[in-house]
């Protein structure tokens, strides 16, 4: 009798356990999870522990990978901030939205430019907002602010589906820190200084000649030269001379709260805002996009982390960012939201190899991959970390070696929220949920197109039947000095002109055998060479047939500084304020 009762009890317990496990998973999948997206700035794939770095400490990002899914072929749609983030937000190649440049300005240069993410683009935030999500963005935006007046905010996050915004409408620059050399348009500024000095010298020479009688010239002509020279100087120095005030600002929703921003407390403010957003919206569902200012130059790091890493200031900055990730994850745990939150961590593109201060490296490490930030085709500029966690739904400790894209986040989170993708435009991203859950073994991407600005530099073909990952380079940057692996002395590699090499036939690599792109294949060494090149060529034709002309948001007119568009917390040009005080405690 005792044995019979024990068997009956055991059967009931197993049945109950199976029911609640199934029910729990069903509830997790049927209900709308909170969505937490972390996006680092300029972080190299080789900079964090779960991707092989054993000298920079990133325990919190590594924990996400242990508790979830790690992607090893996660690809940015562009190798630079503005276009990559536009693709991330819209699920579309930047060239489709006009966020790809045909000139040397490949990212937005000013808060007071008129270019930015067009109002007719639909972000994932907008679609989640329509599904009842409270949406927030903390950190970097870099998708523009205004179009025609200083407060129309046509490109602002709140006009693109975010209910709450706190952060930089622009991006960090060396100009944001007073003891750093300027970073914005350094070569152009040097030329403008020379021209101004030449005009000044000419005016002084004419004046001296007039006073000594050596030159016969009317004072009106000298006055005219002086006026022209003064106007020329004011025309450029009014922008480049005050970059810290014009670009280095913080906003809360539509209001400027710091102008210029105080870097020593920025990390604490960002962390406080992220934790506060989670607490306010703990009853969900919410979307929180934490867009880090780390690890972009000038790498301002708080005293707690200075000198603590083995990789100088850059390593210190990475470790501070990881600490911030940990604090935000702790807030999820504190609110009991860990198991009901879909969490993602990535970088907008590869590390910046040319970022140096003498012998000190201020940019990231891209592991075994060639190239870096700004290089449209080489893996080091576009292959980034990609980590997902959703306890109880996504398997833990899983590694997926399939081609995926930052653009995939768009359809993935829309699917999780129960939304429907726009039907009136091409969406280049693919829903990752089946792949992440192990229901699919292959990525849905057959081809990925790698742009540098508006110029197609390379194409990747995922040959699913053989497992090969073919990559054809049609254009590559010319490294300076030769063989150096980057464009040292230029700041960033160009996309066109004398700074690139065109390849016909293209350079071909099989990334499944040669991920470092060290040994290009040829018709002599690869029997499938001609077949692969023809296949990729047809894919390019088909891809280009889906492109439609759109206004170029990064045109020269759109990227120049326009004083009437300048966000200002006072009366222009008297733009300075500090509305934050010292309330930075988390």
């Amino acid at each position: 009798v005792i044995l019979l009762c024990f068997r009956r009890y055991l059967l009931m317990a197993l049945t109950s356990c199976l029911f609640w496990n199934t029910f729990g998973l069903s509830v997790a999948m049927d209900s709308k999870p909170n969505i937490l997206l972390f996006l680092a700035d300029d972080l190299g794939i080789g900079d964090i522990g779960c991707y092989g770095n054993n000298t920079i400490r990133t325990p919190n990002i590594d924990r996400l990978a242990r508790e979830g899914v790690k992607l090893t072929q996660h690809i940015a749609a562009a190798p630079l901030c503005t276009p990559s983030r536009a693709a991330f937000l819209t699920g579309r190649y930047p060239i489709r939205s006009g966020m790809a440049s045909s000139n040397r300005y490949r990212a937005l240069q000013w808060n007071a430019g008129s270019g930015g993410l067009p109002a007719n683009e639909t972000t994932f935030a907008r679609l989640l907002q329509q599904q009842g999500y409270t949406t927030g963005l903390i950190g970097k935006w870099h998708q523009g602010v205004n179009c025609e007046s200083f407060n129309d905010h046509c490109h602002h996050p709140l006009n693109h589906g975010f209910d709450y915004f706190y952060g930089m409408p622009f991006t960090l620059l060396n100009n944001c820190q007073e003891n750093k050399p300027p970073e914005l348009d350094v070569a152009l500024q040097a030329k403008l200084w020379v021209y101004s000095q030449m005009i000044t010298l000419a005016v002084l020479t004419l004046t001296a000649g007039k006073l000594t009688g050596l030159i016969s010239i009317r004072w009106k002509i000298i006055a005219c030269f002086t006026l022209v020279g003064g106007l020329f100087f004011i025309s450029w120095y009014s922008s480049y001379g005050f970059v810290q005030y014009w670009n280095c600002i913080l906003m809360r929703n539509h209001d400027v709260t710091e102008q210029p921003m105080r870097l020593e407390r920025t990390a604490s403010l960002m962390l406080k805002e992220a934790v506060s957003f989670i607490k306010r919206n703990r009853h969900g569902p919410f979307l929180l996009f934490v867009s880090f200012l780390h690890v972009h130059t000038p790498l301002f790091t708080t005293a707690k982390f200075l000198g603590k890493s083995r990789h100088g200031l850059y390593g210190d900055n990475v470790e501070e960012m990881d600490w911030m990730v940990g604090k935000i994850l702790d807030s999820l745990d504190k609110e009991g939201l860990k198991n009901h939150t879909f969490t993602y961590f990535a970088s907008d593109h590869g590390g910046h190899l040319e970022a140096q201060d003498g012998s000190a490296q201020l940019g990231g490490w891209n592991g075994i991959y060639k190239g870096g930030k700004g290089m449209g085709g080489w893996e080091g500029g576009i292959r980034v970390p990609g980590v997902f966690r959703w306890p109880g739904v996504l398997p833990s400790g899983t590694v997926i070696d399939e081609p995926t894209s930052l653009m995939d986040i768009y359809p993935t989170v829309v699917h999780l929220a129960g939304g429907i993708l726009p039907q009136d435009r091409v969406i280049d991203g693919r829903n990752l949920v089946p792949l992440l859950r192990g229901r699919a073994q292959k990525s849905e991407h057959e081809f990925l197109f790698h742009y540098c600005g508006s110029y197609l530099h390379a194409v990747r073909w995922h040959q699913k039947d053989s497992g090969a990952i073919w990559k054809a380079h049609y254009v590559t940057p010319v490294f300076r000095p030769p063989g150096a692996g980057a464009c040292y002395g230029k700041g960033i590699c160009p996309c066109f002109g004398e700074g690139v090499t065109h390849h016909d036939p293209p350079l071909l690599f099989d990334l499944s055998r040669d991920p470092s792109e060290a040994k290009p294949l040829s018709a002599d060494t690869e029997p499938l060479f001609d077949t692969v090149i023809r296949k990729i060529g047809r894919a390019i034709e088909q891809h280009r047939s889906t492109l439609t002309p759109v206004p170029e948001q990064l045109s020269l007119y759109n990227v120049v500084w326009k004083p009437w568009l300048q966000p200002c917390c006072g009366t222009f040009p008297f733009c300075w304020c500090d509305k934050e005080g010292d309330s930075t405690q988390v």
Side-chain angles (χ1 to χ4, degrees):
V1 173
I2 294 174
L3 183 61
L4 182 62
C5 289
F6 177 74
R7 286 178 176 175
R8 186 173 298 172
Y9 172 80
L10 183 61
L11 180 61
M12 290 174 61
L14 288 173
T15 304
S16 176
C17 182
L18 181 62
F19 168 79
W20 283 110
N21 280 344
T22 305
F23 178 76
L25 180 60
S26 175
V27 167
M29 287 303 296
D30 290 342
S31 62
K32 297 176 180 180
N34 301 310
I35 295 171
L36 174 58
L37 309 176
F38 294 111
L39 192 65
D41 196 3
D42 288 17
L43 180 74
I45 193 172
D47 289 329
I48 52 181
C50 56
Y51 283 89
N53 192 307
N54 57 10
T55 57
I56 296 179
R57 294 164 295 188
T58 56
N60 297 293
I61 300 170
D62 299 344
R63 172 160 58 103
L64 281 177
R66 285 196 310 273
E67 296 176 353
V69 179
K70 181 178 77 171
L71 305 179
T72 62
Q73 292 191 60
H74 202 38
I75 308 299
L80 215 58
C81 306
T82 295
S84 174
R85 289 163 181 269
F88 176 73
L89 288 162
T90 64
R92 290 153 52 83
Y93 286 108
I95 197 167
R96 297 194 192 278
S97 59
M99 297 295 277
S101 170
S102 61
N103 60 67
R104 70 183 187 90
Y105 294 107
R106 294 153 56 194
L108 294 173
Q109 303 293 299
W110 301 96
N111 279 323
S114 53
L117 190 63
N120 62 357
E121 287 294 325
T122 304
T123 67
F124 56 68
R126 174 73 68 202
L127 295 179
L128 266 63
Q129 198 178 50
Q130 294 170 359
Q131 294 301 310
Y133 276 70
T134 301
T135 57
L137 166 59
I138 309 296
K140 170 176 173 173
W141 175 236
H142 210 187
Q143 298 294 301
V145 183
N146 297 312
C147 290
E148 297 178 354
S149 67
F150 73 93
N151 61 357
D152 66 35
H153 292 175
C154 65
H155 302 306
H156 190 279
L158 268 59
N159 201 41
H160 278 294
F162 289 98
D163 296 306
Y164 184 76
F165 169 61
Y166 182 84
M168 280 191 83
F170 195 60
T171 182
L172 274 182
L173 296 167
N174 274 351
N175 305 70
C176 297
Q177 190 172 340
E178 292 185 2
N179 61 346
K180 296 287 185 179
E183 182 179 350
L184 187 67
D185 245 342
V186 177
L188 178 59
Q189 284 190 66
K191 291 179 180 179
L192 294 172
W193 268 116
V194 170
Y195 297 152
S196 297
Q197 290 168 349
M198 290 172 63
I199 293 172
T200 302
L201 182 61
V203 169
L204 291 175
T205 301
L206 292 173
T207 302
K210 175 68 173 178
L211 292 173
T212 59
L214 295 176
I215 300 177
S216 177
I217 189 171
R218 298 173 63 183
W219 282 112
K220 286 185 178 181
I221 297 177
I222 295 177
C224 184
F225 266 104
T226 304
L227 179 62
V228 170
L231 291 175
F232 173 74
F233 178 76
I234 292 171
S235 70
W236 71 266
Y237 193 77
S238 60
S239 57
Y240 288 110
F242 300 92
V243 173
Q244 189 176 15
Y245 285 86
W246 303 151
N247 280 349
C248 306
I249 68 175
L250 290 181
M251 296 182 75
R252 176 179 282 106
N253 295 327
H254 292 297
D255 299 322
V256 178
T257 61
E258 282 189 5
Q259 192 168 11
M261 58 198 289
R262 289 174 52 183
L263 293 181
E264 67 272 13
R265 67 187 185 193
T266 300
S268 296
L269 287 170
M270 297 296 172
L271 179 55
K272 175 187 173 185
E273 289 287 338
V275 171
S276 177
F277 182 90
I278 291 172
K279 186 175 182 179
R280 289 197 310 271
N281 298 285
R282 59 187 177 276
H283 300 300
F286 66 77
L287 160 71
L288 176 56
F289 177 19
V290 180
S291 179
F292 286 108
L293 304 182
H294 298 64
V295 288
H296 198 291
T297 51
L299 301 175
F300 191 92
T301 308
T302 53
K304 179 179 178 181
F305 292 92
L306 281 177
K308 298 298 176 63
S309 81
R310 293 165 58 183
H311 284 277
L313 185 58
Y314 181 82
D316 298 344
N317 206 241
V318 174
E319 293 188 1
E320 181 177 48
M321 179 188 66
D322 179 80
W323 171 78
M324 293 173 70
V325 170
K327 286 294 185 181
I328 295 170
L329 294 179
D330 288 346
S331 71
L332 286 181
D333 294 344
K334 182 179 178 181
E335 302 297 340
L337 300 175
K338 175 180 177 179
N339 293 343
H340 197 61
T341 302
F342 177 85
T343 304
Y344 168 75
F345 179 90
S347 176
D348 56 355
H349 49 70
H352 190 185
L353 301 181
E354 295 90 350
Q356 296 179 316
D357 184 7
S359 60
Q361 180 65 30
L362 301 180
W365 182 50
N366 299 314
I368 65 172
Y369 305 108
K370 181 182 290 188
K373 175 180 178 176
M375 304 181 204
W378 294 122
E379 286 292 283
I382 54 177
R383 192 182 289 221
V384 298
V387 179
F388 296 84
R389 185 188 75 174
W390 187 4
V393 178
L394 302 184
S396 62
T398 303
V399 178
I400 295 177
D401 188 27
E402 286 286 305
T404 58
S405 170
L406 263 69
M407 296 183 293
D408 297 339
I409 302 307
Y410 184 96
T412 300
V413 298
V414 171
H415 168 80
L416 293 175
I420 299 175
L421 295 177
Q423 302 299 305
D424 61 344
R425 65 199 64 194
V426 176
I427 300 297
D428 298 297
R430 299 291 182 265
N431 179 13
L432 291 177
V433 171
L435 191 66
L436 296 175
R437 295 191 64 200
R439 302 293 175 83
Q441 302 305 312
K442 296 292 184 181
S443 164
E444 289 188 32
H445 289 290
E446 183 177 11
F447 296 96
L448 287 171
F449 302 90
H450 307 307
Y451 282 89
C452 186
S454 60
Y455 302 91
L456 185 64
H457 275 204
V459 180
R460 175 186 318 246
W461 175 30
H462 179 205
Q463 191 178 5
K464 299 179 184 182
D465 56 351
S466 70
I469 307 289
W470 304 103
K471 188 169 168 200
H473 289 261
Y474 294 87
V475 184
T476 56
V478 177
F479 291 147
R480 306 282 185 194
C487 300
Y488 296 105
K490 281 184 172 288
I492 203 164
C493 288
C495 295
F496 61 92
E498 296 180 356
V500 302
T501 301
H502 293 263
H503 302 281
D504 186 15
L507 300 179
L508 182 67
F509 300 90
D510 180 0
L511 299 181
S512 64
R513 292 178 287 169
D514 180 20
S516 300
E517 297 172 290
K519 300 176 181 178
L521 303 170
S522 67
D524 295 329
T525 61
E526 174 53 61
L528 295 176
F529 182 90
D530 292 330
T531 302
V532 171
I533 296 302
R534 283 196 299 270
K535 178 78 172 181
I536 292 176
R538 289 194 294 270
I540 292 173
E541 291 178 7
Q542 196 281 327
H543 166 69
R544 284 179 170 158
S545 71
T546 68
L547 302 178
T548 55
V550 292
E552 188 174 319
Q553 297 297 319
L554 299 175
S555 67
L556 290 175
Y557 174 78
N558 280 335
V559 300
V560 298
W561 184 71
K562 302 175 180 67
W564 61 91
L565 298 184
Q566 179 60 51
C568 181
C569 60
T571 301
F572 184 84
F574 305 107
C575 303
W576 56 80
C577 63
D578 179 4
K579 300 179 183 178
E580 295 297 345
D582 293 316
S583 60
T584 57
Q585 296 300 314
V586 179

